[in-house]
Amino acid sequence: STIRAIRGGDIVMKILSLENGWSKSQLNEHCNDYVDNLVETCTFFLKHLSACPFKHQPLMITETWSHVVESGCLALLEGFAKVYDCSTEGRALMSFDLASFSTSLPSSSPKRGMQYVDMYIKVFYFPQEDVLNW
């Protein structure tokens, strides 16, 4: 599974280890370290995919890369969902971390999983009645 290949469980634990960071009323200038680790792991995986003997089958490489990126997004989503006490600034940091993850990957990377995480973060900015109607 690609979630295990990118060590998604470690990403979730790193997100949860920032428990006080999500409730603070301050913003960082740089993304959290777990984003850099996730990008590094994903790009390492992509380098190995590009050098594998299946280079003549680009569809297989593209599909595998899509699953890797989506698994990274799912790891972020799971970690963010387990943060119980979060300020508005904490949600902004989550959004910043997702944007950093997205822009640090090659431009041909799929955006499918990122939309789920982005929507999860943004829904907290809406009043509860609007979310239920939506």
Side-chain angles (χ1 to χ4, degrees):
S1 164
T2 52
I3 196 82
R4 278 184 268 146
I6 62 166
R7 297 187 302 267
D10 292 347
I11 299 299
V12 172
M13 294 309 295
K14 288 176 184 177
I15 291 171
L16 294 176
S17 70
L18 297 172
E19 64 182 63
N20 292 336
W22 300 117
S23 57
K24 289 182 181 177
S25 295
Q26 68 182 42
L27 296 173
N28 298 339
E29 292 182 17
H30 190 277
C31 63
N32 287 303
D33 291 338
Y34 66 84
V35 176
D36 292 332
N37 294 340
L38 181 58
V39 168
E40 186 178 298
T41 303
C42 288
T43 53
F44 179 77
F45 200 91
L46 181 60
K47 285 179 189 176
H48 283 286
L49 272 177
S50 300
C52 76
F54 301 111
K55 284 195 290 191
H56 62 281
Q57 296 181 356
L59 182 61
M60 183 186 302
I61 293 172
T62 303
E63 280 299 309
T64 305
W65 176 241
S66 294
H67 288 293
V68 168
V69 173
E70 192 167 351
S71 293
C73 292
L74 289 175
L76 292 174
L77 181 62
E78 182 179 349
F80 294 161
K82 290 183 177 185
V83 173
Y84 295 112
D85 185 26
C86 189
S87 65
T88 302
E89 291 83 1
R91 294 284 170 207
L93 287 173
M94 290 177 181
S95 196
F96 182 67
D97 286 348
L98 177 65
S100 296
F101 176 63
S102 174
T103 58
S104 297
L105 297 175
S107 60
S108 61
S109 299
K111 306 296 182 200
R112 176 177 57 203
M114 292 178 199
Q115 293 170 344
Y116 295 127
V117 184
D118 188 50
M119 190 60 68
Y120 176 82
I121 295 167
K122 288 180 179 175
V123 78
F124 285 93
Y125 292 112
F126 293 104
Q128 187 174 6
E129 302 82 35
D130 291 346
V131 173
L132 293 175
N133 289 333
W134 176 54

